[in-house]
Amino acid sequence: MRPVPEPGEQDGSPAPPSASRLPHRLRRRSALLCAGATALVTLVTLGSVLVARGTADDAPSADGGPGGRPGSLTASLPWPDEGQAAVLVEGFGPRGAPGVRGPGRPVPIASVTKVMTAYVILRDHPLRGDASGPLITVDDKAANESFSGAESTVEVRPGQRLSQRRLLELMLVPSGNNIARLLARWDAGSQEAFVARMNRAADDLGMDHTTYTGASGIEPTTTSTAADQLKLARQVMRDDVFRSVVSLPRTAAAVGSGTIPNSNELLNTPGVTGIKTGSSTPAGGALMWAVDVADRSGRRHLALGVVLHQRAGTSPQEGLRTAFDSGRKLVEGVRHRVAAADPATTSGAPSRTR
């Protein structure tokens, strides 16, 4: 197996798809920006300039305050000093509602893109329990891309027949870009047709500041916000198969008898069950995470978070290291706040949505 570079690395990437393939999203993005330009209100908060929520640019938190409303579990988290982040805790009603910090403008998200790829694949071809799903034939394109030195790939051979579940593992665990594109072609006939499905799915989930231009995330033109990606995380973690895949510490190689480790080293943190890393020079480090935490009564809750644009413009390795550092701090901050929370003040809503 060829050594796998940093997940989602885009240096030396091919030219992105033509914008004409997604006219409806680009027109909407333009309309949002034009409308927002008339409503700019400058707020000086802790030395940062935030823009009113009605724009697609810098925005305060989802609930109108920097990080979370007073009394919420997210109000005083150790937020990253750069980029943007979003966190929610299920089962606490308004107290666990999303808190968002940092500019709300869309930024490249690198291999975090593969979460939407998996979501669409599992929506179109649902799996249940331990089912492996249909066998999919590896085409010449995916096999030839195995040996790319410019991106993160997984070695496969032409004519191999691998199950849908195995391919999901090879895409999400070691972050195989060639596997993401293979799954896209299998699902929709072409990557371009699959991208249209990704964008329709984003529309359906209310991800208004997200544009997908590829299935793997290698294109820097695939952009989103932490708040939008948090919506996707909440939806996709309802799928048992997705949850089981992203929590794997490693998966079997498609060629040979070895195994490939998960690119998400945050899985070494107690309670963390996923979700996905991403890194590139344009995106910096990106991380979508999930952690199981207990409140003061011992009741379990699922907390979800997204960190984007960490050390953007540096190396993918430096960006990803910073994303892991930021993610760990947020996970520990959530753990401490939930552990101290009085369960009597929770909304009584289910702590996990399945």
Side-chain angles (χ1 to χ4, degrees), residues 92-354:
F92 279 90
R95 294 183 64 205
V100 181
R101 173 64 65 89
R105 61 178 178 271
V107 295
I109 61 172
S111 283
V112 170
T113 298
K114 296 182 177 79
V115 175
M116 177 59 86
T117 300
Y119 173 73
V120 174
I121 292 293
L122 287 168
R123 181 201 64 185
D124 294 351
H125 309 275
L127 297 177
R128 295 291 180 265
D130 296 330
S132 296
L135 292 175
I136 300 168
T137 301
V138 175
D139 58 22
D140 290 341
K141 188 173 181 63
N144 291 337
E145 289 172 349
S146 296
F147 304 100
S148 169
E151 58 179 321
S152 174
T153 60
V154 173
E155 185 176 357
V156 288
R157 291 176 178 166
Q160 269 188 294
R161 289 173 62 74
L162 300 170
S163 72
Q164 176 187 342
R165 192 181 193 118
R166 286 286 294 117
L167 289 175
L168 286 170
E169 291 180 11
L170 292 171
M171 176 181 71
L172 292 168
V173 175
S175 202
N177 286 358
N178 57 329
I179 306 303
R181 295 187 288 266
L182 172 62
L183 283 168
R185 292 191 294 273
W186 170 70
D187 179 80
S190 70
Q191 182 179 209
E192 292 77 10
F194 185 80
V195 166
R197 295 183 183 186
M198 296 172 76
N199 283 301
R200 285 196 295 270
D203 286 340
D204 292 343
L205 293 175
M207 299 167 64
D208 295 331
H209 302 307
T210 298
T211 301
Y212 292 102
T213 60
S216 69
I218 193 172
E219 302 85 359
T221 48
T222 288
T223 59
S224 187
T225 64
D228 272 9
Q229 290 300 305
L230 191 63
K231 295 176 183 178
L232 174 60
R234 192 171 198 178
Q235 184 69 26
V236 76
M237 284 295 283
R238 296 173 179 173
D239 189 286
D240 292 340
V241 171
F242 179 85
R243 290 201 313 275
S244 69
V245 170
V246 296
S247 66
L248 291 172
R250 56 184 53 247
T251 189
V255 176
S257 59
T259 60
I260 316 171
N262 198 314
S263 61
N264 184 9
E265 68 178 46
L266 201 68
L267 287 172
N268 297 326
T269 302
V272 172
T273 58
I275 301 176
K276 187 71 190 77
T277 61
S279 63
S280 71
T281 296
L287 179 64
M288 181 187 287
W289 52 262
V291 61
D292 186 66
V293 292
D295 64 26
R296 199 160 68 181
S297 72
R299 184 183 181 207
R300 310 302 299 186
H301 299 265
L302 180 66
L304 300 167
V306 179
V307 176
L308 299 179
H309 226 222
Q310 302 296 290
R311 300 293 292 157
T314 63
S315 69
Q317 295 86 348
E318 182 175 350
L320 193 55
R321 280 196 301 271
T322 305
F324 284 140
D325 289 342
S326 299
R328 286 191 193 93
K329 291 175 183 177
L330 285 171
V331 165
E332 290 307 314
V334 168
R335 192 193 312 281
H336 292 320
R337 283 155 182 77
V338 171
D342 182 358
T345 65
T346 67
S347 67
S351 61
R352 291 174 177 272
T353 305
R354 292 292 184 253

